[in-house]
Amino acid sequence: MFSTLDFDVIRRSIGYLFYEGMTFTLTLTALSALGGLIFGTLIALMRLSGYKLLGRIAGLYVDFMRSLPLVLVIFWFYFLVPYIGQWLTGASRPIKVGAFSSSLITFIMFEAAYFSEIMRAGIQSISKGQPAAANALGMTYSQTMRYVVLPQAFRNMLPVLLTQTIVLFQDTSLVYVLSITDFLGAASKVAQRDGRLVEMYLFAAAVYFTISCFASWGVRRLQARISIVR
Amino acid sequence: MIELRHVDKWYGPTFQALKDCSTSVAKGEVVVVCGPSGSGKSTLIKCVNALEPIQGGEIILDGIKVNDPKTDLPKLRSRVGMVFQHFELFPHLRIIENLCLAQEKVLGRSHDEAMAKAMKLLERVGLKEHAYKYPAELSGGQQQRVAIARALAMDPIAMLFDEPTSALDPEMISEVLDVMVDLAREGMTMMVVTHEMGFASKVAHRVIFMDRGEIVEDALKEDFFGKPRSDRAQKFLSKILQH
């Protein structure tokens, strides 16, 4: 069987695969993680705030996002965002949203639900005495969060946040439903064009595996270093 | 300076932590609050700067009503120093940063000004050479001295101490008490929850004895140690002075 395989297709397409595909994948991963972390932290703060209504809204959002398959959210969002945009701006026709913006918004909103749970656990892991001490020094709620609670919560949760980002890196391949040229999309296009499905999918799997493995190894090393410093 | 009038505090609908507590601390006065565990003494001191809300009565701090919803609590709290049982230094910041953070963010001092103040206070508590370490690298006694310096950096008009030596190993208690004694002798207004009766007899002006959420006895130091009037205070004193 292997005698019929032609791995030269990888060499021929490598520039396209990495410059176009992997660049897109990594950009989407990084921006989604950043946006997800920011919105996730806000949702976590809402859930932990004393205001019942805010907490309920945030809780519903998280439950809703976590109860849907990601691929469905990506799909729906791509078709819905133009109409939501039309409705918000009062335009006469659905506004145009590129595939990248649409998938980025989807991933940020989806990941925010997961990151918020991580940040919530992180904030709750800080003893009550810490915000009390900050308050006693005259800090406001936002100063207490910004300078005392969130930096510690973020630090404690960094390994978990990074692990979630590795999962996100793999999940970004789901944008193939929008025919986007991410890494998997690029590999898939080359595979179909040259009729080299086995080679390209093997190669794509190997690349995802290698990057994720190295990243996980890095997280484990980081975890060991953090636990020493603490 | 600090005045409590008929303060009631409830935890939930059934447990009353403070019952009709009234007392005051005058400028320059050192008041020690003692009593068995669960008597409400820590709760009482946390109510003074509104870390715990109260349900009845009123607390006046330097002429400002603490439990008034219109009061700017952060501003009021920045003028009263507080030292906690478990130090509560910020573990992700260096010692010097612990001392500078609130000076810069709350009082709006420049970085240089805050640094100078911080260094002066670290020197005072004998920890200048540890300025660039993290809290976890210091002993409990050193951490508590840093916590006192951090509170003093805000130039407080009064200091609240919530069992400052209860979490310390015995050999570290005196280094913290020494700092507190100095502070008392300089005329700082202090309210101190503690079991250290040696400290009380050395520098306190008055002693408050609490039991089950009530102020049972509020007497001048000499009277309290001479002959406490209430049975409960007598029993408590005989227990802790036994050894």
Side-chain angles (χ1 to χ4, degrees), chain A residues 65-76:
Chain A
M65 279 297 176
R66 297 211 302 179
S67 315
L68 292 173
L70 177 52
V71 70
L72 193 70
V73 181
I74 294 170
F75 203 57
W76 271 110

Side-chain angles (χ1 to χ4, degrees), chain B residues 77-117:
Chain B
R77 285 178 181 140
S78 72
R79 302 174 59 212
V80 187
M82 185 154 198
V83 176
F84 296 82
Q85 182 176 1
H86 297 288
F87 332 134
E88 303 301 350
L89 296 179
F90 305 132
H92 59 302
L93 301 177
R94 293 172 195 280
I95 299 302
I96 189 83
E97 294 166 332
N98 263 277
L99 268 74
C100 288
L101 180 64
Q103 287 192 69
E104 290 173 34
K105 303 300 176 191
V106 176
L107 301 181
R109 285 182 185 155
S110 73
H111 182 65
D112 292 344
E113 202 183 344
M115 286 287 282
K117 179 100 194 167

Side-chain angles (χ1 to χ4, degrees), chain B residues 210-221:
Chain B
M210 290 186 73
D211 193 20
R212 282 175 231 151
E214 287 172 288
I215 293 182
V216 180
E217 197 145 337
D218 184 345
L220 290 173
K221 171 182 67 182

Side-chain angles (χ1 to χ4, degrees), chain B residues 165 167-175:
Chain B
T165 57
L168 294 175
D169 290 333
E171 75 269 22
M172 294 170 182
I173 290 177
S174 67
E175 65 185 60

Side-chain angles (χ1 to χ4, degrees), chain A residues 130 135-136 138 143 147 152, chain B residues 74 77 88-89 91-92 105 154:
Chain A
Q130 286 286 307
N135 286 335
Q143 287 174 327
Y147 301 116
Q152 292 184 59
Chain B
R77 285 178 181 140
E88 303 301 350
L89 296 179
H92 59 302
K105 303 300 176 191
M154 305 294 283

Side-chain angles (χ1 to χ4, degrees), chain B residues 47-58:
Chain B
C47 289
V48 171
N49 62 353
L51 286 182
E52 294 280 357
I54 60 171
Q55 278 77 43
E58 58 179 7

